């Protein structure tokens, strides 16, 4: 670990020197690239330098033990510094775990009502509200791009873009089937019903080096049924785009302009094609897929929300929290941190 950290520190120092080079300073693109690379290493280097400082302090304290009048103070200092050293070692191990290159990206969030009819759509709406509240807590922004409302409330389908630093790093574990157990409002005899909704979370890829041929795309335009005012509802501004080779379909109807809806739909389509390509590659690399928390497949049941017991259980990490009411209000930190910690633990085991 120390050899890796020494190499990273040397790289950081060399990047600092490069930034002082007039040739770099006068090249905006190069300046941005080097500044970003330096910024990505900075936190790790600061923690490592603190670690080296503590190691030196322990050496100094061991020398002080030789002096009788400082012996007790030195022993106490060594105990305190050793605790700090072990804590920083754990932190450095986690910081050295390879980062998901998509972690800082925005998110494409898709929720659909699944098994359970109207109650499934209502639950899909409850999940969307939960995520919206969490997004507000994180000071991110959410923009609905397509919605099909359920006949009794909620959504049979809703898609949105979540914009914010690190959005994907927090939300990426949410993909899969979410199950709810509760008494629906329409249930006259008070029986608990089980319904499901599916969630898909994708990183938004703004600049994808992927070719989508015009003749591989089928574009349908139609009159929007979503929000946006009367001008949306009186023109064929909504866009449905189908990628014929893969069968992937995206819809965008929340912009007033058909051109803007087409641009956004194409961006979504590219992101979904790219992620499908990655998924297929991971299926071939079985170990990588098995070590992940969840496969991201719609069919995988990842979580149960039990309203009578005010309980939520994440089945992937065997985590049960008896505060479902708080979680549905967007207080998802305990749940998400549990998933992140387990993911880091697995990566450390395989590192």
């Amino acid at each position: 670990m120390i050899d890796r950290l020494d190499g990273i520190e040397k790289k950081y120092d060399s990047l600092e020197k490069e930034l002082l080079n007039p040739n770099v300073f006068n090249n905006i693109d190069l300046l941005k690239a080097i500044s970003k690379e330096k910024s990505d290493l900075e936190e790790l280097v600061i923690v490592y330098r603190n670690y080296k400082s503590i190691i030196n302090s322990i050496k100094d304290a061991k020398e002080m033990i030789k002096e009788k009048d400082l012996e007790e103070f030195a022993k106490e200092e060594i105990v305190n510094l050793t605790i700090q050293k072990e804590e920083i070692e754990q932190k450095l191990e986690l910081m050295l775990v390879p980062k998901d290159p998509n972690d800082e990206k925005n998110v494409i969030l898709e929720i659909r009502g699944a098994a359970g009819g109207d109650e499934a759509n209502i639950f899909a709406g409850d999940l969307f509200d939960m995520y919206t509240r969490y997004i507000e807590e994180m000071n991110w922004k959410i923009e609905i791009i397509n919605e099909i409302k359920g006949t009794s409330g909620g959504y049979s389908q809703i898609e949105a873009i979540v914009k914010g630093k690190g959005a994907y790093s927090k939300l990426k574990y949410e993909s899969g089937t979410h199950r709810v157990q509760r008494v629906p409002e329409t249930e006259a005899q008070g029986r608990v019903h089980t319904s499901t909704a599916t969630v898909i979370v994708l990183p938004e890829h703004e600049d994808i080096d992927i070719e989508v041929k015009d003749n591989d795309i089928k574009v349908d335009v139609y009159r929007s049924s979503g929000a946006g005012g009367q001008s949306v509802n009186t023109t064929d501004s909504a866009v449905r785009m189908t990628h014929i080779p893969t069968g992937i379909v995206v819809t965008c109807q929340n912009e007033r302009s058909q051109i803007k809806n087409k641009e956004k739909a194409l961006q979504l389509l590219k992101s979904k094609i790219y992620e499908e390509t990655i998924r297929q590659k991971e299926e071939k690399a079985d170990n990588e897929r098995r070590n992940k928390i969840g496969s991201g497949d719609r069919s995988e049941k990842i979580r149960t929300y039990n309203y009578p017991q005010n309980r939520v259980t994440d089945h992937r990490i065997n985590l049960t929290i008896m505060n479902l009411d708080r979680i549905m209000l967007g207080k998802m930190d305990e749940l998400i941190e549990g998933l992140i910690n387990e993911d880091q633990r697995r990566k450390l085991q395989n590192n």
Side-chain angles (χ1 to χ4, degrees):
M1 184 176 80
I2 299 301
D3 288 343
R4 285 180 67 190
L5 289 165
D6 282 337
I8 290 167
E9 186 179 29
K10 286 176 184 175
K11 178 65 175 174
Y12 180 84
D13 289 339
S14 72
L15 291 169
E16 266 194 331
K17 289 178 182 175
E18 281 188 65
L19 289 173
L20 298 174
N21 186 328
N23 293 330
V24 171
F25 192 78
N26 293 324
N27 185 329
I28 298 298
D29 291 337
L30 186 58
L31 181 65
K32 283 182 180 179
I34 294 173
S35 296
K36 185 183 184 308
E37 191 176 358
K38 175 179 172 287
S39 176
D40 290 343
L41 299 177
E42 192 159 28
E43 184 182 1
L44 178 57
V45 170
I46 288 170
V47 174
Y48 179 48
R49 286 174 176 172
N50 185 26
Y51 175 75
K52 290 198 294 184
S53 174
I54 288 171
I55 295 293
N56 289 331
S57 296
I58 291 173
K59 289 178 182 176
D60 292 341
K62 286 179 178 178
E63 287 296 317
M64 289 167 60
I65 289 178
K66 297 173 184 177
E67 300 180 36
K68 283 194 175 182
D69 55 334
L70 296 173
E71 184 179 358
E72 288 303 314
F73 169 78
K75 285 180 178 178
E76 186 177 339
E77 188 72 358
I78 288 169
V79 170
N80 292 332
L81 288 168
T82 301
I83 291 170
Q84 290 180 49
K85 171 181 167 287
E86 290 171 355
E87 287 175 351
I88 293 177
E89 280 174 345
Q90 290 178 356
K91 186 174 182 179
L92 285 168
E93 281 183 349
L94 288 175
M95 293 177 82
L96 283 171
V97 171
K99 286 188 177 181
D100 185 334
N102 293 318
D103 273 352
E104 297 303 307
K105 292 185 183 295
N106 295 332
V107 158
I108 298 168
L109 174 66
E110 176 190 305
I111 306 173
R112 294 175 184 247
D118 288 343
E119 172 64 8
N121 293 340
I122 292 168
F123 178 50
D126 292 339
L127 288 176
F128 182 73
D129 289 342
M130 175 186 76
Y131 291 126
T132 298
R133 289 168 182 145
Y134 176 69
I135 287 160
E136 289 170 354
E137 293 255 335
M138 297 298 294
N139 292 316
W140 299 336
K141 292 182 179 179
I142 186 165
E143 175 189 347
I144 296 172
I145 53 177
N146 182 49
E147 58 183 306
I148 303 173
K149 293 186 177 179
T151 54
S152 299
Y155 301 96
S156 64
Q157 178 181 343
I158 184 163
E159 291 170 292
I161 294 177
V162 180
K163 297 182 178 181
K165 185 174 174 61
Y168 186 71
S169 70
K170 300 283 189 179
L171 294 174
K172 63 183 175 181
Y173 308 105
E174 296 302 301
S175 290
T177 296
H178 296 240
R179 180 175 69 173
V180 64
Q181 295 172 328
R182 64 184 176 188
V183 180
E185 292 180 9
T186 54
E187 170 56 54
Q189 297 180 26
R191 292 175 299 183
V192 173
H193 286 226
T194 298
S195 304
T196 61
T198 60
V199 175
I200 293 290
V201 173
L202 301 174
E204 182 192 24
H205 296 284
E206 293 179 353
D207 299 305
I208 309 172
D209 186 17
I210 184 170
E211 183 184 3
V212 179
K213 297 176 182 177
D214 290 343
N215 56 4
D216 283 344
I217 299 175
K218 179 188 175 187
V219 179
D220 298 305
V221 295
Y222 58 97
R223 195 156 296 176
S224 171
S225 59
Q230 290 183 341
S231 63
V232 171
N233 296 324
T234 57
T235 60
D236 291 337
S237 60
V239 173
R240 182 185 299 107
M241 199 170 280
T242 305
H243 186 240
I244 297 167
T246 61
I248 293 171
V249 180
V250 298
T251 306
C252 189
Q253 63 170 323
N254 279 54
E255 296 286 350
R256 292 176 181 270
S257 159
Q258 185 186 118
I259 293 173
K260 287 185 178 179
N261 279 327
K262 277 186 176 178
E263 288 175 355
K264 195 160 286 184
L266 183 59
Q267 187 63 48
L268 285 173
L269 188 66
K270 284 186 175 183
S271 287
K272 290 197 174 187
I273 293 169
Y274 182 80
E275 285 303 309
E276 178 62 18
T277 303
I278 297 297
R279 187 190 66 79
Q280 289 175 3
K281 285 181 180 177
E282 286 178 354
E283 278 187 345
K284 292 177 182 176
D286 286 340
N287 286 336
E288 183 181 350
R289 196 165 180 80
R290 273 200 299 269
N291 289 329
K292 278 191 168 184
I293 294 182
S295 63
D297 291 340
R298 288 182 192 271
S299 59
E300 183 188 14
K301 184 186 72 178
I302 64 167
R303 196 175 295 151
T304 296
Y305 303 73
N306 186 297
Y307 276 72
Q309 297 178 19
N310 195 34
R311 165 174 58 83
V312 61
T313 299
D314 196 289
H315 305 291
R316 297 162 296 178
I317 59 173
N318 296 318
L319 174 65
T320 295
I321 300 171
M322 305 303 293
N323 284 313
L324 173 58
D325 50 349
R326 278 180 51 80
I327 286 170
M328 298 309 292
L329 290 173
K331 311 293 183 183
M332 298 180 66
D333 285 341
E334 185 178 355
L335 197 55
I336 288 173
E337 289 303 318
L339 289 159
I340 290 172
N341 291 338
E342 175 62 15
D343 190 33
Q344 289 177 333
R345 186 189 69 78
R346 293 184 190 184
K347 284 176 178 175
L348 277 173
Q349 281 184 338
N350 293 281
N351 199 17

